Amino acid sequence: MDPEKELQLILTRRQFFGRTSTGIGVAALASLLNSDLQAQATGGLPGLPHFAPKAKRVIYLFQSGAPSQMDLFDYKPKLQDYQGVELPDSIRKGQRLTGMTATQSKFPVAPSRFKFAQHGRSGAWMSELMPHTAKVVDEISFIKSMHTEAINHDPAITFFQTGFQLAGRPSIGSWLSYGLGSENQDLPAFVALVSQGTGNPADQPLYDRLWGSGFLPTRYQGVKFRSGADPVLYLSNPGGIDSATRRRFLDDLSELNQLKLQETGDPEISTRIAQYEMAYRMQTSVPKLTDLSKETEAVFDLYGPESRKPGTFAANCLLARRLAERGVRFIQLFHRGWDQHLNLPKQIAGQSKDTDQPSAALIADLKQRGLLDDTLVVWGGEFGRTVYCQGKLTAEDYGRDHHPRCFTMWLAGGGVKPGISHGETDDYCYNITKVPVHVHDLHATILHCLGIDHTRLTYKFQGRHFRLTDVHGEVVSKLIS
């Protein structure tokens, strides 16, 4: 065969498979599969969900920096007897240390200086730092046996978002956007919100790749909403351009992009077409979403005084409820400030004040609106903190280093059993003694609540079928109602 004709044949095949795998072919296939109208309507994959879901959406309240579990949720009264005592080698078991404490000559135990009490019908122990969360404790399922592999922030946060410690894989929200799509065609399926806490203002930075799509098409990446008059960058019309002109411009641009798509079959061109159209629709939907003027005084009182200030965790929790009402699939709030190596008592008090009332308000607000049953709320950080003190230990002050071996997270709504605690740690809150839960297990459980078999939601990249849970993960069935 003539080399030039052979090259043209190869290009033609590539164009065909490119179009049928991610563009025109999927639309045609969806139109034939009349039994899967949900996937066709929302932009998700045909065949998903795999089974009847408990939840339709997720609100993930990610506490960046790693909250101290024994100062908030994991009550260890015996630690008061060990104040200043060296952590026994039989407990530490030679586990690795970070660079912040590896050179310490002593590892004195630092009991929490905060009071704990039991709350609700479940009798869950809660720190005095979380009085509002204590009021909704019977809606919460605690996981006290979480563990992870990473010991430093960036790989640990990346692991929680993508199921892998190295950057480059899709975030959990992108996986859900890809698999399930959105219930609202005028808003993204995946929205990210970031706030800075009062605990540690110099906390670890957060990067846009944490809500990125990795090797998935970029249409599935999260859209970051900012505080201020322009929540989404580049959404407003340029100066001198009205809506009608913008519409004509997009129509002409779409025609040019369609010609290029037919020529190359590049799925990213389909993404660009879809993103331009989404941006146009968001010009109307986003201002309505972020306009809180019709919220009642009772709602602002519920979420607390900071809920009136854009960009705060409280305001973002209120915005998360509004996004959930509008069918956004995955809403993730990142709240910085939990990395408290020194001055922990002072810093964690401020950080808890930032988050306690809004988190509890979100659960109560979702419940009273009939949304909690099908909205899964997740609260937690990337690892826990050490029971031993980092730096100088005094009667009033202490710090804590990173601790991946055990920490606490909680879930509410969306098909999880309310009012339970799953897993246990030893008296030093240093090792898990009962039913450990890994990051991959948490991801598998979240997907299960959404009707997804985590082993079957895959994407082929570089010759391999990847998934959020890699080759691991077990659904924690005891958490499922």
Side-chain angles (χ1 to χ4, degrees):
M1 180 181 293
D2 181 75
E4 185 173 341
K5 290 183 178 180
E6 184 176 5
L7 177 60
Q8 183 61 43
L9 177 61
I10 292 172
L11 290 174
T12 302
R13 286 172 176 165
R14 286 178 179 172
Q15 291 166 11
F16 171 77
F17 285 115
R19 287 196 293 269
T20 56
S21 64
T22 56
I24 299 169
V26 167
L29 180 60
S31 68
L32 294 172
L33 299 176
N34 293 325
S35 62
D36 200 351
L37 295 178
Q38 182 181 15
Q40 186 179 355
T42 64
L45 294 176
L48 266 73
H50 297 127
F51 46 84
K54 301 281 189 177
K56 292 181 178 179
R57 66 198 70 87
V58 177
I59 300 176
Y60 193 159
L61 309 177
F62 189 79
Q63 309 303 311
S64 178
S68 172
Q69 70 277 10
M70 74 281 295
D71 289 292
L72 298 176
F73 307 117
D74 202 354
Y75 181 42
K76 298 298 177 185
K78 291 185 179 180
L79 289 180
Q80 300 300 327
D81 298 333
Y82 305 145
Q83 168 81 22
V85 175
E86 184 76 5
L87 181 66
D89 290 339
S90 60
I91 299 297
R92 191 156 71 84
K93 299 178 180 179
Q95 295 172 26
R96 60 179 176 156
L97 307 172
T98 73
M100 281 78 75
T101 54
T103 58
Q104 285 190 186
S105 59
K106 295 182 178 180
F107 298 93
V109 169
S112 176
R113 66 183 300 269
F114 300 103
K115 296 179 181 178
F116 278 71
Q118 288 180 288
H119 297 272
R121 296 185 306 275
S122 63
W125 288 94
M126 296 284 292
S127 165
E128 62 182 315
L129 292 171
M130 294 284 174
H132 293 277
T133 305
K135 296 176 183 178
V136 296
V137 73
D138 286 334
E139 302 293 341
I140 289 174
S141 176
F142 290 97
I143 307 175
K144 295 186 176 180
S145 55
M146 283 298 307
H147 65 104
T148 185
E149 297 163 18
I151 199 171
N152 290 312
H153 292 288
D154 187 72
I157 295 173
T158 303
F159 196 17
F160 258 97
Q161 306 316 309
T162 70
F164 201 66
Q165 293 187 48
L166 300 179
R169 295 197 184 185
S171 59
I172 181 173
S174 294
W175 277 111
L176 293 177
S177 176
Y178 162 67
L180 296 177
S182 177
E183 295 180 298
N184 188 330
Q185 297 303 307
D186 295 331
L187 287 170
F190 176 17
V191 171
L193 302 158
V194 180
S195 54
Q196 173 60 58
T198 57
N200 181 2
D203 204 349
Q204 301 292 317
L206 295 170
Y207 303 102
D208 286 8
R209 61 173 170 77
L210 294 173
W211 46 90
S213 58
F215 46 69
L216 291 175
T218 53
R219 65 182 299 179
Y220 301 116
Q221 68 187 10
V223 175
K224 181 182 178 182
F225 278 28
R226 310 179 310 148
S227 59
D230 202 8
V232 181
L233 287 173
Y234 313 119
L235 197 60
S236 303
N237 289 331
I241 302 295
D242 60 19
S243 182
T245 303
R246 177 81 158 196
R247 181 67 266 172
R248 290 195 302 271
F249 171 81
L250 290 177
D251 289 341
D252 291 342
L253 181 60
S254 179
E255 289 184 18
L256 292 172
N257 280 329
Q258 288 287 357
L259 291 172
K260 193 65 175 177
L261 177 62
Q262 292 173 15
E263 178 185 342
T264 66
D266 184 355
E268 281 300 301
I269 298 175
S270 296
T271 290
R272 291 292 177 265
I273 295 171
Q275 286 175 330
Y276 281 128
E277 290 300 319
M278 173 63 77
Y280 184 77
R281 296 194 297 271
M282 286 170 64
Q283 287 184 325
T284 300
S285 62
V286 169
K288 290 180 180 179
L289 168 72
T290 56
D291 179 9
L292 306 183
S293 61
K294 293 184 179 180
E295 294 288 350
T296 65
E297 288 297 315
V299 168
F300 287 115
D301 290 342
L302 180 66
Y303 284 87
E306 290 292 296
S307 61
R308 296 181 181 274
K309 183 178 178 182
T312 61
F313 183 77
N316 287 348
C317 280
L318 177 53
L319 189 56
R321 187 265 288 165
R322 293 172 65 85
L323 287 162
E325 285 180 310
R326 288 158 175 79
V328 174
R329 185 70 65 186
F330 194 86
I331 306 149
Q332 186 150 27
L333 280 61
F334 292 86
H335 189 62
R336 299 172 58 205
W338 291 99
D339 191 25
Q340 292 144 12
H341 291 269
L342 304 171
N343 303 315
L344 183 142
K346 179 181 179 180
Q347 290 187 3
I348 200 172
Q351 198 73 4
S352 297
K353 188 176 181 181
D354 294 340
T355 59
D356 172 45
Q357 184 173 353
S359 300
L362 178 60
I363 293 175
D365 200 8
L366 289 170
K367 185 174 182 179
Q368 70 184 7
R369 294 170 190 272
L371 289 169
L372 186 60
D373 286 344
D374 59 9
T375 302
L376 177 62
V377 182
V378 182
W379 191 104
E382 65 268 35
F383 40 60
R385 314 300 301 194
T386 57
V387 68
Y388 61 77
C389 179
Q390 177 177 341
K392 186 178 180 181
L393 174 63
T394 69
E396 298 296 324
D397 195 25
Y398 51 87
R400 300 194 191 279
D401 200 3
H402 308 165
H403 190 59
R405 295 293 298 173
C406 64
F407 55 103
T408 300
M409 297 183 69
W410 59 254
L411 312 175
V416 300
K417 291 179 182 176
I420 67 169
S421 289
H422 182 81
E424 295 178 4
T425 57
D426 62 22
D427 290 339
Y428 288 90
C429 202
Y430 204 83
N431 298 293
I432 295 169
T433 59
K434 186 177 180 182
V435 287
V437 177
H438 189 267
V439 177
H440 292 310
D441 302 328
L442 177 69
H443 286 164
T445 305
I446 291 173
L447 294 185
H448 181 87
C449 289
L450 291 156
I452 298 173
D453 178 346
H454 71 102
T455 66
R456 295 167 60 193
L457 178 59
T458 64
Y459 188 86
K460 191 173 183 179
F461 176 67
Q462 294 183 342
R464 177 189 165 188
H465 290 277
F466 285 85
R467 69 187 206 217
L468 173 63
T469 52
D470 197 41
V471 296
H472 309 282
E474 296 290 339
V475 174
V476 186
S477 59
K478 290 186 178 180
L479 294 174
I480 308 299
S481 62

